[in-house]
Amino acid sequence: MSVSSITIPCLQPPWRFPSQKAPARRRSKVGSVSLPKIYAVDQSSSPSVQTPQRTTKLPLRKIPGDHGPPVLGALKDRQDYFYNQGRDEYLKSRMQRYESTVFRTNMPPGPFISSDPRVVVLLDGKSFPVLFDNSKVEKKDLFTGTYMPSTELTGGYRVLSYIDPSEPSHQKLKQLLFFLLKHRQDKILPEFHSVFSELFDTLEKDLAATGRAKYNDPGEQAAFNFLTRSLYGVNPANTKLGQDAPKLIGKWVLFQLGPVLNLGLPKFAEELLLHTVRLPPALVKADYQRLYDFFYQSSAAVFEEAEKLGISKEEACHNLLFATCFNSFGGIKIFFPSMLKWLGRAGATLHGRLAEEIRTAVKAHGGEITMAAMEQMPLMKSVVYETLRIEPPVPVQYGRAKQDLVIESHDAAFEIKEGEMICGYQPFATRDPKIFDRADEFVPDRFIGDGEKLLQHVLWSNGPETQSPSVKDKQCAGKDFIVFIARLLVVELFLRYDTFDVEAAVLSLGAAVTVTSLKKASF
């Protein structure tokens, strides 16, 4: 298979659904690499998300559940959420008790970090999409849930993830991220191939030496190297940052997400240190400054675009750091091990089907990885979507009702009052048995053929998979980018190996994956 002459697949334009074929487009030649044009996001053509319309057939039901007495109710629920039951059982038990996928409860952290932990929970695929309707819900300062981390952790700025589309700065900041994703698009595939080939070499060496190869640490280093080399043109190993970024990012993210994480520490220590008071931002100030200096020195081209959009270098840099380290790196850190876990568990039969499909398509296109070749890999694409469905990397979404609403589950209609906070737990919504057959099973070919119709119910990106992000919504700016590189991981994996085995354990964020065998490709 040739890797020296590669046609770069284009990131999906915002007006195309995943199943559509790429339209013919003019290409320019740079050496032996054919570069497609990536167009700016159409700010007016993105389809609006339609909230489910109430039908007269469904009864209007009072939202069941309660929040308990002030403070004490939230504290008790926090104990159940983190220790007595765990997140999934906490929500499932209440769903069963109230016989409803819509109910009232408290979500952590509660006292004394969150001023108001009361929420209306949505756990089905029919009610959940109201969270994507910007005319009905507000997303201001709700990215992490019922609390917002200190802006001292982001240079004093509210970064894009915490800004509602109605705010003036939202459009220009999101447009800047679209520019970041497209201005070096010709580097994405070759850098991915280079970086992840190095990662596979590392795993093979570790496996040969000890019979086991831990994926997460080298995988996180590979993820950061890929992002900075492809999007910024800088190898961190050649800078003062060196190989320290994953650890620095991990500490910084802990200070933001600690209030909603269970790290497995002794209960008293975890309650005191993480869930009751905020960790002081000053403790990671020096670490954050190292990351900031790296991005400030690496973003000259993006700063030029920021200036055109009326964004200062400082605000742009804090947003680029957050988008790269929290959103993109964080997404890859969680999603790639998850995909390896589900693929590894699926076994050799699926691996053989994927290897045959991928190698046949690549061979038919001159031994090159091309968009046309990847479009002829329906099983590969379905596997990526199925992983995003069964274990979405960002499980919880929040919104605050802008007005009095009537929402519908499959069984009833419910009134939500203006100002109430809505919390959607996505793993239940995307495993809704009234939408998906064998909803709790990993079904590799679920989204092939007529199964593509179900993509509207894959919601991992803060929007349906059949919609692309625009500056007017809160859907992940890198949605198509993440799907694209996930497909590349599967392609690279099965061009190199016939099959593999893994062991997986649960982490506070994602899974710890250990590779126990790798069988090299037999061709």
Side-chain angles (χ1 to χ4, degrees), residues 39-88:
Y39 301 98
V41 172
D42 185 336
Q43 299 176 11
S44 62
S45 63
S46 292
S48 61
V49 178
Q50 297 297 316
T51 304
Q53 297 298 309
R54 183 183 175 190
T55 66
T56 56
K57 296 180 181 179
L58 290 177
L60 184 64
R61 180 183 176 188
K62 180 182 178 181
I63 300 175
D66 61 65
H67 309 290
V71 181
L72 294 178
L75 288 173
K76 178 184 182 301
D77 284 346
R78 188 167 77 195
Q79 298 299 305
D80 287 344
Y81 184 94
F82 285 120
Y83 313 109
N84 300 333
Q85 294 178 298
R87 180 174 62 189
D88 282 20

Side-chain angles (χ1 to χ4, degrees), residues 9-30:
C10 178
L11 303 184
Q12 295 174 8
W15 54 89
R16 281 178 51 226
F17 289 172
S19 61
Q20 289 181 280
K21 293 183 179 180
R25 58 189 56 171
R26 180 171 53 88
R27 295 176 179 269
S28 57
K29 293 288 185 178
V30 180

Side-chain angles (χ1 to χ4, degrees), residues 3 124 368 370 439:
V3 296
D124 64 86
E368 300 177 355
T370 65

Side-chain angles (χ1 to χ4, degrees), residues 407-449:
I407 63 168
E408 292 185 357
S409 68
H410 296 292
D411 306 313
F414 304 88
E415 290 183 336
I416 295 178
K417 297 299 183 181
E418 178 182 353
E420 288 194 282
M421 190 178 298
I422 306 169
C423 167
Y425 187 57
Q426 193 179 138
F428 283 17
T430 56
R431 296 189 188 192
D432 186 334
K434 294 189 177 181
I435 294 176
F436 294 101
D437 184 40
R438 297 157 61 196
D440 290 327
E441 296 180 33
F442 181 79
V443 181
D445 53 2
R446 186 184 297 277
F447 298 103
I448 293 178

